[in-house]
Amino acid sequence: MLVRFATLNLPACEYVLIHLRASDAAEAWAVHVHGNPLRLARELVYSTDLAWYCTCPEGRPAAVLALTSDGGPSLQASVFATDEWPRVVLGMTRFIRQRIGPMLLGPAFNAFDRVQADSIAGHTEAHRWMAAIGARPEGRETINGHEFIRFVWSR
C-alpha cells in the first residue's frame, strides 16, 4: 500500500480532525476541551513547522503527526487519525523511525532533550504503538479530569 507524506496544511488537518476515529476523538477532546476540530486544526498548523500528514492509498488524508514546543526542553508529539489508521500505521511507523527519529537526534534539535506524548488511559492500541516506535511510559497524570499515560523518547 502506498502511503504518502507531506507537510501539514490546513485542509488536510481539518479533514483528519473532522473524521477522527472514535478512540482518537475521545483522547483529543479530553485534552482540547473546546471540542472544535477546525479550531484545533488551526492551532496545530499555525503553531509548528514540525507537522506532517499522510494519505491512504486513495489519497484521502488519514493521519496527522505534529511536534509542538512550549518553549521548554520537551517537544510534545500528537498523532491523530481517521478510521484509515490500520491502513497507514505501518507507513507512519516507518516515517517516524526513518525520518523523524534521526532528525530529532541531529544538531538542530539540541535544545530539546526529549519528546513526550500523552495518551488517555485505556487506549491500549496507542500505547502498544508508542512502545513499538521506541517510547517508554514515564508515569500517569490527570488532564482535565481524565487519566493519561505520558510516553517519552529521550536522547
Side-chain angles (χ1 to χ4, degrees):
M1 276 188 275
L2 184 59
V3 176
R4 297 183 190 275
F5 286 83
T7 301
L8 187 61
N9 60 56
L10 191 57
C13 194
E14 288 176 344
Y15 182 90
V16 169
L17 293 173
I18 288 169
H19 297 93
L20 282 176
R21 63 190 181 141
S23 55
D24 284 9
E27 196 168 75
W29 308 132
V31 174
H32 306 279
V33 294
H34 54 71
N36 184 328
L38 301 179
R39 177 178 166 187
L40 180 55
R42 287 189 308 275
E43 291 169 359
L44 288 173
V45 170
Y46 299 126
S47 68
T48 183
D49 291 330
L50 299 172
W52 304 265
Y53 74 100
C54 69
T55 61
C56 63
E58 294 79 17
R60 288 183 306 279
V64 167
L65 165 64
L67 302 171
T68 55
S69 171
D70 63 4
S74 299
L75 284 172
Q76 181 73 34
S78 301
V79 174
F80 301 104
T82 69
D83 286 331
E84 301 283 356
W85 179 248
R87 300 177 68 206
V88 300
V89 64
L90 186 56
M92 180 68 83
T93 301
R94 286 183 183 141
F95 182 76
I96 289 170
R97 287 181 178 164
Q98 294 172 1
R99 301 265 317 273
I100 305 305
M103 177 187 75
L104 293 174
L105 292 175
F109 290 88
N110 283 342
F112 301 104
D113 59 8
R114 63 194 248 146
V115 176
Q116 61 190 38
D118 299 318
S119 183
I120 201 163
H123 193 349
T124 55
E125 178 186 9
H127 304 167
R128 284 191 304 267
W129 180 68
M130 284 192 276
I133 59 173
R136 62 177 170 72
E138 182 181 67
R140 294 178 177 263
E141 64 179 80
T142 301
I143 301 173
N144 298 325
H146 299 274
E147 186 177 6
F148 280 77
I149 300 171
R150 174 158 289 164
F151 289 83
V152 298
W153 296 263
S154 301
R155 286 185 169 264

